[in-house]
């Protein structure tokens, strides 16, 4: 897509991710394609939004942090965040 800022793998009971800091991210991609992950986004203007991502989502605001809720930490997924 563009420049990758972060690519994180969540592996339940082994490598569990609770937040990602990515100042200026424009898009979020979740793999595998069948995975659906609910994320809380904190934007650079400090507003927040909770979204469910499956595949690739292009954001309308620049994201500063992604917080992964406790309920999602038991899933295997890869999150890629980047700039277009």
């Amino acid at each position: 897509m563009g420049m990758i800022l972060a690519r994180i793998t969540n592996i339940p009971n082994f490598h569990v991710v609770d937040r990602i800091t990515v100042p200026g991210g424009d898009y979020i991609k979740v793999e595998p394609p069948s995975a659906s992950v609910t994320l809380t986004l904190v934007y650079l203007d400090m507003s927040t939004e909770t979204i469910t991502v499956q595949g690739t989502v292009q954001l309308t605001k620049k994201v500063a942090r992604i917080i992964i809720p406790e309920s999602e930490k038991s899933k295997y997924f890869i999150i890629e965040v980047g700039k277009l």
Side-chain angles (χ1 to χ4, degrees), residues 1-2 7 13 16 19 23 28 30 32 35 39 51 57-58 62 65-66 73 83:
M1 292 218 67
R7 185 173 171 90
N13 301 318
V16 179
R19 75 187 70 219
I28 299 172
V30 173
L39 305 169
I51 64 170
V57 174
Q58 203 167 344
K62 304 280 187 189
R65 284 185 307 283
I66 299 170
K73 294 178 185 179
K83 287 183 153 192

Side-chain angles (χ1 to χ4, degrees), residues 41-72:
L41 307 178
V42 180
Y43 295 105
L44 289 176
D45 65 2
M46 299 310 288
S47 63
T48 62
E49 177 182 24
T50 300
I51 64 170
T52 300
V53 179
Q54 184 173 13
T56 303
V57 174
Q58 203 167 344
L59 304 171
T60 57
K61 294 181 180 180
K62 304 280 187 189
V63 70
R65 284 185 307 283
I66 299 170
I67 300 167
I68 301 164
E70 196 66 39
S71 60
E72 300 296 313

Side-chain angles (χ1 to χ4, degrees), residues 9-17 72-77:
T9 303
N10 188 78
I11 304 169
N13 301 318
F14 182 72
H15 184 262
V16 179
V17 179
E72 300 296 313
K73 294 178 185 179
S74 61
K75 297 179 182 178
Y76 171 83
F77 56 85

